[in-house]
Amino acid sequence: MSVGIVELVPGEPVRGSIRPPGSKSLTNRALLCAAFAKGPSTLLGALNSEDTTVMVDSLRKIGVNVETQDGGRTLRVDGSLTSRETSPIELFIGNSGTTVRFLTAALSALGGNYRLSGVPRMHQRPIGDLVDAIAGVIEGSIETESSEACPPVRIDSHGWNGNEIRVAGSVSSQYLSGLMMAAPIALQTTNRSSEALKIINIHVLGELVSRPYVEMTGSVMKSFGANVSVNDRRDANDQESVTVQIQSSGYQGLSYDIEPDASAASYFWAAAAITGGQVTVEGLTPDAMQGDVGFCEVLEQMGCKRVIENHGITIIGGELKGIDVDMNAISDTVQTLSVVALFASGPTRVRGVAHNRFKETDRIGDLAHELRKLGAEVEEHDDGMTIHPPTITDSFSGATIETYDDHRMAMSLSLAGLRIPGVRITNPACTGKTYPQFFADLERLISRSHLWSNQS
């Protein structure tokens, strides 16, 4: 839908149930494992979005057969890849962090000549820690074209020739996840001059952000037959850290079911919290692989009720209060929480998310700027923010909200319009990155139409 503005219409408390589309994180992980597996795979419940489309397109360019069915919700993947010695293959990865980080690691392990580039914002997002980690084991070369160690990335590789890798974990857990998924490829690659590897150890240097995503990666790898273990350890400074060990067993094709997206689910649970309603998200339980189901526990701390059933999780809105919370493990839901915090009594302090400044946009500074438009006072900190909501409801004001081409800014901040008249979201089409049907699904859930316009 090519429109410039969407405005939600305030109304009654939101009540209903919904099943979000498949997880972007799981879809792209499963795609990568299936692409390098022996035998075909079928991925059921996959997400069809910009992020998954650029992954599929890139895999096809390197020789993977990917067939789409059911509007992209079913993917049939047959890789059977061998390393390449051809002229550079150009891969466009848009603004998909998972795609550029996972493929950078995987293709360096496979071997071949590649260049990965994206949209201008992608060329501002750091990837230097991953490139440095790969440079220590690659038989060939890997480099960024940017002096700031951002994409585009150039790879000219004959695979990996070392079994000890060290990577920083404080900017993105996707660096570690990419190396983990690449390791079975390196262990199976046979075109290197060096002796074949039998085991790879990946050591995280310092803090590891978003740990649940690493556990998710390990779980997907195991489903596809990889031998992987994630182990806690203490580094030389006696700080908690992580080592991952991968042994020489490759990926095997299979049929794989993908969970609904828990990050997307956070918006619907938040709708219940903001309006004092009741919303069930189907297909997710506390045992889900995605750590973002933990957002429900944060809402509980704020005064909501969480009801766990076999088919899903329900949030029932209550009297909201501000909290002090470390969201390192569920940092993709910080923007969602910030909107809930607007309607709480007392301030909400968010900690542990310094790495959010390096996402699709600065999800601390830019988020704070937009929240202030809605009447909040916001203090920025090195690791997060403190949100002081308006003291009285009359202090709320409508505003035109910039989204910075960030899908999560658009989806989360639109929820303020469930209570505040006149909240206008620019460039709502940016939700296509992970959830193209978000506003249509939200419209069905709240049982009233949004206002669409081409005017700013």
Side-chain angles (χ1 to χ4, degrees), residues 8-26:
L8 272 61
V9 178
E12 296 297 315
V14 179
R15 300 183 184 278
S17 62
I18 190 167
R19 184 184 179 98
S23 162
K24 179 261 292 188
S25 300
L26 286 171

Side-chain angles (χ1 to χ4, degrees), residues 124-451:
Q124 299 171 349
R125 299 177 67 181
I127 199 170
D129 288 337
L130 177 59
V131 169
D132 289 345
I134 295 170
V137 294
I138 194 172
E139 188 169 305
S141 64
I142 181 169
E143 61 183 6
T144 61
E145 294 182 8
S146 159
S147 59
E148 289 79 27
C150 299
V153 179
R154 290 185 180 273
I155 301 169
D156 187 359
S157 173
H158 296 279
W160 291 358
N161 58 18
N163 62 2
E164 296 289 329
I165 304 175
R166 289 169 175 78
V167 63
S170 61
V171 173
S172 175
S173 65
Q174 290 174 4
Y175 300 159
L176 176 57
S177 286
L179 293 168
M180 289 169 61
M181 289 186 288
I185 303 168
L187 292 167
Q188 296 297 309
T189 300
T190 59
N191 69 328
R192 297 184 311 275
S193 60
S194 58
E195 182 180 351
L197 302 173
K198 302 198 184 312
I199 190 168
I200 292 175
N201 293 302
I202 307 170
H203 306 289
V204 177
L205 305 177
E207 175 193 19
L208 174 62
V209 298
S210 304
R211 170 71 179 267
Y213 283 96
V214 173
E215 301 290 351
M216 177 200 300
T217 301
S219 179
V220 175
M221 291 173 65
K222 290 175 184 177
S223 294
F224 281 86
N227 188 336
V228 56
S229 60
V230 181
N231 306 302
D232 293 310
R233 67 178 179 86
R234 289 195 172 273
D235 62 20
N237 298 316
D238 200 36
Q239 298 295 312
E240 290 185 2
S241 194
V242 169
T243 290
V244 180
Q245 185 176 88
I246 300 97
Q247 298 186 36
S248 56
S249 60
Y251 296 122
Q252 302 293 326
L254 77 161
S255 180
Y256 187 81
D257 288 315
I258 294 169
E259 295 174 349
D261 194 297
S263 302
S266 73
Y267 310 121
F268 304 117
W269 287 320
I274 289 168
T275 65
Q278 178 173 328
V279 173
T280 301
V281 173
E282 301 170 357
L284 290 171
T285 70
D287 296 328
M289 281 190 285
Q290 301 165 80
D292 281 356
V293 294
F295 182 72
C296 292
E297 297 176 26
V298 177
L299 293 179
E300 270 193 305
Q301 294 176 46
M302 298 187 78
C304 297
K305 182 179 180 181
R306 178 181 60 148
V307 179
I308 300 169
E309 301 170 287
N310 291 334
H311 66 286
I313 302 175
T314 299
I315 288 294
I316 303 171
E319 186 174 342
L320 298 173
K321 61 183 179 182
I323 59 173
D324 190 319
V325 58
D326 188 322
M327 298 190 72
N328 182 282
I330 55 172
S331 58
D332 276 347
T333 64
V334 168
Q335 291 143 295
T336 321
L337 179 70
S338 73
V339 178
V340 178
L342 291 175
F343 305 98
S345 60
T348 293
R349 171 71 160 98
V350 176
R351 303 179 184 273
V353 294
H355 58 288
N356 269 20
R357 291 194 185 275
F358 306 105
K359 300 280 191 174
E360 284 82 343
T361 189
D362 178 349
R363 290 181 177 171
I364 295 176
D366 293 337
L367 176 60
H369 180 76
E370 301 308 314
L371 292 172
R372 293 182 187 116
K373 291 181 181 179
L374 297 171
E377 294 183 11
V378 184
E379 303 171 59
E380 293 184 45
H381 310 293
D382 289 342
D383 72 334
M385 61 175 58
T386 300
I387 303 159
H388 299 268
T391 54
I392 56 174
T393 304
D394 290 344
S395 299
F396 282 121
S397 58
T400 298
I401 302 297
E402 298 298 327
T403 53
Y404 307 87
D405 203 28
D406 182 349
H407 55 130
R408 300 208 186 282
M409 292 287 280
M411 291 185 280
S412 57
L413 289 168
S414 70
L415 300 175
L418 295 173
R419 289 273 302 271
I420 307 171
V423 176
R424 308 170 78 228
I425 304 297
T426 61
N427 187 24
C430 70
T431 62
K433 186 174 190 296
T434 57
Y435 196 165
Q437 299 302 316
F438 170 74
F439 285 107
D441 284 356
L442 181 60
E443 201 169 62
R444 284 191 289 271
L445 180 66
I446 67 176
S447 299
R448 55 183 181 274
S449 298
H450 312 319
L451 304 178

Side-chain angles (χ1 to χ4, degrees), residues 76-110:
R76 303 195 185 280
V77 186
D78 192 355
S80 303
L81 283 170
T82 58
S83 62
R84 294 178 170 270
E85 305 297 334
T86 62
S87 59
I89 299 175
E90 292 279 344
L91 302 177
F92 178 76
I93 41 73
N95 196 17
S96 174
T98 54
T99 302
V100 70
R101 292 157 183 168
F102 296 172
L103 282 179
T104 292
L107 296 178
S108 73
L110 175 69

Side-chain angles (χ1 to χ4, degrees), residues 38-57:
K38 294 178 180 178
S41 297
T42 301
L43 310 183
L44 304 170
L47 173 67
N48 183 8
S49 72
E50 290 176 13
D51 272 17
T52 56
T53 296
V54 294
M55 176 65 91
V56 168
D57 289 346

